[in-house]
Amino acid sequence: MIAERDIATSVAPGAKPAPSGPPPLTVENVTKRFGEGPTALTAVDSVSFTLDAGEFVSVIGPSGCGKSTLFHVIGGLSDVTQGIVRVENETINGPHPAVGIVFQEESTFPWRNVIDNVAFPLELRGVSRSERHAAASHYIDMVGLHGFEKRLPSELSGGMRQRVSIARTLAAKPRILLMDEPFAALDEQTRLLLGDKVLQIQQQLKQTTLLITHSITEAVQLSDRILIMSYRPGRIKRIVNVDLPRPRTSDVVSSPEFGAIVADIWADLREEASRGLQESERGQG
Amino acid sequence: MKRVPIISPAFLLSIGTIAGLLVIMQALIMTEIVSPYVVPLPSDIAASFWRVIVEEGVPGRFAVTVGETFAASLLILIVGIPVGLLLYRFGKLRLAFEPWLAAMAAAPLVLAYPLFLVLFGRSSLTIIIIGFTAGVAPVALKTIEGFTSTRRVLIDVGRSFRLTPAQEFRQILLPAALPQIFVGLRLGLIFCLINIVGVEFLINLGGLGQLINDLAERYDLPGTYAAICFVVCVSILFFAVLDRGEKWLQRRG
């Protein structure tokens, strides 16, 4: 059941383009269950939502609420037990070319330098070396790694490696960008800077984006809408529209309106997180 | 990528350490703390190099041992990696045969040389087969380890780009497993060379192993140690080729 409550504090001019044609992504009544019989675990239960073109949506929830399971299902990396995921009007049954995925874990190829990592999807399409390097350079510049083209991932920081992953995904020109806690392993300052960078790219490319995260401030800073998930089984508990003005500069992030949205989401999330904590303590006991 | 200069501090340290040990050995033997009838003077070994090369036909023997090691290594490569891949792909086969491979890697197969002599005769073929048998198991085992230790997220990246199984193997599994495969090849090469020289010594046939046997029987200790140095040269040669091969493959991604 979806209970939607708008807690908009102001109207963001031009933040969300008016939808036209079928929504880029439709998640319809998706359930994912692991195992069978009495020991079966329902990770995601009857989740439904759509993404409009150019929209930035975050999914937030406590640990163990099925966020990553949902990510794998939408990315076509895991089957659904029930329900369907549609990209535009096409029901997916595996990874879809229109969906670009950025993983939580460090996922650059350690044996390829930065430019060859980013050029990887183009290499698969048989694009010539000079053309794919020119295209890869464009995305490397976009994520702010100009000058690091010939470096190996082992010579880069965690934040830089994650930017390489983002550039590689963008090089495939996906219509939908799907990100699973891409900044989770990074320090707070790098997270904030990288969040800004992702937002800037998303605005520049008008990229429809779905971000899985457990950071409330990150979700509020980046998103047009936030889907709050309940603790196990993962359901959409509430949808929050974030109508803060863009660009979300430090003034916006430090505004009382931003704080109010964060506090409001935390009130919901705390209840779920406490439930998760109690259940895991009971499990250990 | 930064190139490491040939005369690096590490190189100087290794050469300096060897030179220092040789000087200490020389002093210990000269003062008869170590018997000169057990270990010859390093200076005598150095002096015997040219004599052994000229009088004992070292270039030909060197070529024989290198050739046998090369043939056995090629067989190890051709058989070991596909066997590792097969056992990685088929879990049941792996359950059935991996323990046997591990046992084979640890077994002193050189002791079975009479059996190989009966099967293949007193020839280079026997030596190559024994070298191959000794070296193939670690290559297969390390190949399995390389493929199984490929990080799941890299395979998921491949899936997200909808790679075919052949592309997944060529673009992700093989490059990710390559460092482990080369560890296996190094181990396999060590076992292979030890067994080849050992069998040459035991059956008194072929290259440097036979030379060591001949010189030892003549009680030509400096010559024996000089011949051992030539075996070390074979090892260095193969390791250098392997190192180059690994770097070349890594550059190709």
Side-chain angles (χ1 to χ4, degrees):
Chain A
M1 186 71 97
I2 300 169
E4 187 164 355
R5 182 156 51 113
D6 188 350
I7 56 161
T9 50
S10 65
V11 178
K16 206 168 30 171
S20 62
L25 181 75
T26 306
V27 176
E28 206 172 287
N29 205 26
V30 162
T31 296
K32 176 71 184 176
R33 212 170 285 126
F34 294 101
E36 282 174 17
T39 57
L41 175 76
T42 304
V44 174
D45 189 23
S46 308
V47 167
S48 299
F49 63 90
T50 58
L51 252 66
D52 293 331
E55 195 181 24
F56 197 124
V57 173
S58 290
V59 175
I60 193 166
S63 295
C65 75
K67 300 189 293 290
S68 288
T69 305
L70 187 61
F71 164 83
H72 279 87
V73 165
I74 296 170
L77 301 170
S78 181
D79 295 334
V80 288
T81 308
Q82 193 186 304
I84 49 171
V85 177
R86 271 198 298 265
V87 172
E88 279 136 17
N89 264 342
E90 194 183 339
T91 302
I92 66 158
N93 53 12
H96 192 281
V99 181
I101 302 178
V102 179
F103 293 88
Q104 179 181 354
E105 273 180 81
E106 202 279 290
S107 67
T108 53
F109 298 129
W111 55 88
R112 286 173 173 256
N113 62 22
V114 169
I115 197 157
D116 285 333
N117 256 292
V118 177
F120 180 71
L122 306 172
E123 189 182 323
L124 295 174
R125 286 182 205 157
V127 177
S128 72
R129 189 181 163 83
S130 58
E131 276 180 56
R132 66 177 186 255
H133 275 197
S137 294
H138 168 72
Y139 291 103
I140 290 169
D141 287 351
M142 193 180 268
V143 297
L145 285 177
H146 177 72
F148 291 91
E149 289 83 352
K150 298 289 172 192
R151 297 298 183 103
L152 286 170
S154 58
E155 298 172 297
L156 306 177
S157 68
M160 290 163 99
R161 286 202 287 261
Q162 198 58 295
R163 278 190 271 169
V164 174
S165 301
I166 293 169
R168 182 181 58 194
T169 305
L170 292 175
K173 293 195 173 170
R175 294 196 289 282
I176 301 159
L177 188 60
L178 179 60
M179 298 194 283
D180 182 20
E181 305 194 37
F183 319 130
L186 307 175
D187 62 85
E188 185 64 20
Q189 289 163 26
T190 313
R191 278 173 79 107
L192 287 171
L193 290 172
L194 213 48
D196 278 345
K197 182 57 80 180
V198 165
L199 195 53
Q200 195 186 325
I201 293 166
Q202 191 264 345
Q203 297 287 296
Q204 190 180 335
L205 300 176
K206 304 278 178 229
Q207 186 88 59
T208 307
T209 306
L210 182 67
L211 171 74
I212 309 285
T213 182
H214 60 251
S215 165
I216 306 174
T217 47
E218 190 175 279
V220 178
Q221 185 199 357
L222 300 175
S223 312
D224 297 310
R225 272 191 301 153
I226 299 171
L227 316 181
I228 303 175
M229 284 185 78
S230 63
Y231 183 69
R232 205 172 290 159
R235 296 188 180 110
I236 302 287
K237 187 179 181 186
R238 192 179 139 205
I239 297 178
V240 177
N241 289 326
V242 184
D243 289 339
L244 293 170
R246 291 184 187 274
R248 296 201 178 136
T249 57
S250 53
D251 284 346
V252 175
V253 172
S254 58
S255 67
E257 291 83 0
F258 188 95
I261 300 174
V262 170
D264 183 68
I265 294 173
W266 172 232
D268 256 344
L269 216 51
R270 186 157 73 178
E271 196 182 300
E272 294 304 320
S274 304
R275 198 155 65 82
L277 198 64
Q278 280 165 10
E279 278 191 29
S280 63
E281 279 171 358
R282 263 204 304 275
Q284 278 169 7
Chain B
M1 283 259 284
K2 237 170 44 179
R3 285 183 77 88
V4 180
I6 293 172
I7 307 196
S8 61
F11 178 76
L12 289 175
L13 179 67
S14 72
I15 294 295
T17 306
I18 292 167
L21 287 173
L22 288 174
V23 169
I24 292 168
M25 206 58 181
Q26 181 89 6
L28 289 174
I29 298 165
M30 284 175 83
T31 52
E32 297 200 354
I33 294 170
V34 173
S35 168
Y37 299 111
V38 176
V39 185
L41 284 165
S43 57
D44 287 349
I45 298 171
S48 71
F49 269 112
W50 187 245
R51 173 177 59 82
V52 173
I53 289 170
V54 174
E55 291 176 10
E56 307 295 341
V58 165
R61 291 173 183 274
F62 190 85
V64 169
T65 301
V66 167
E68 287 166 350
T69 311
F70 178 75
S73 304
L74 207 62
L75 274 178
I76 287 169
L77 201 74
I78 291 168
V79 176
I81 295 173
V83 165
L85 178 63
L86 195 74
L87 298 191
Y88 160 72
R89 282 281 186 207
F90 300 99
K92 280 186 181 158
L93 280 181
R94 191 175 154 198
L95 280 174
F97 294 112
E98 199 180 3
W100 289 102
L101 271 178
M104 190 175 155
L109 290 169
V110 70
L111 296 179
Y113 80 94
L115 174 69
F116 288 92
L117 279 178
V118 171
L119 290 173
F120 303 104
R122 188 172 169 271
S123 66
S124 276
L125 181 64
T126 299
I127 296 170
I128 291 166
I129 297 291
I130 292 177
F132 159 74
T133 314
V136 72
V139 174
L141 287 170
K142 281 288 171 186
T143 302
I144 298 170
E145 195 181 316
F147 286 130
T148 49
S149 62
T150 302
R151 289 192 297 128
R152 182 73 223 172
V153 70
L154 297 185
I155 295 168
D156 280 345
V157 169
R159 289 182 65 204
S160 76
F161 287 121
R162 295 172 305 125
L163 263 59
T164 61
Q167 282 175 320
E168 183 187 278
F169 177 75
R170 163 77 186 83
Q171 301 283 358
I172 293 174
L173 283 171
L174 189 60
L178 218 50
Q180 286 292 336
I181 293 173
F182 270 89
V183 169
L185 285 173
R186 284 194 182 88
L187 282 171
L189 187 66
I190 291 168
F191 291 165
C192 171
L193 187 60
I194 290 171
N195 279 269
I196 281 177
V197 175
V199 177
E200 282 180 345
F201 183 96
L202 284 169
I203 67 175
N204 204 18
L205 178 81
L208 295 169
Q210 187 194 24
L211 177 63
I212 294 168
N213 190 349
D214 287 350
L215 294 167
E217 282 189 358
R218 279 186 255 151
Y219 211 70
D220 180 354
L221 279 185
T224 306
Y225 278 83
I228 291 169
C229 289
F230 294 126
V231 174
V232 174
C233 288
V234 177
S235 169
I236 291 170
L237 177 74
F238 273 89
F239 272 81
V241 169
L242 215 56
D243 199 45
R244 282 289 173 99
E246 186 177 8
K247 283 186 179 139
W248 179 77
L249 281 170
Q250 273 174 348
R251 271 200 306 274
R252 284 176 61 89

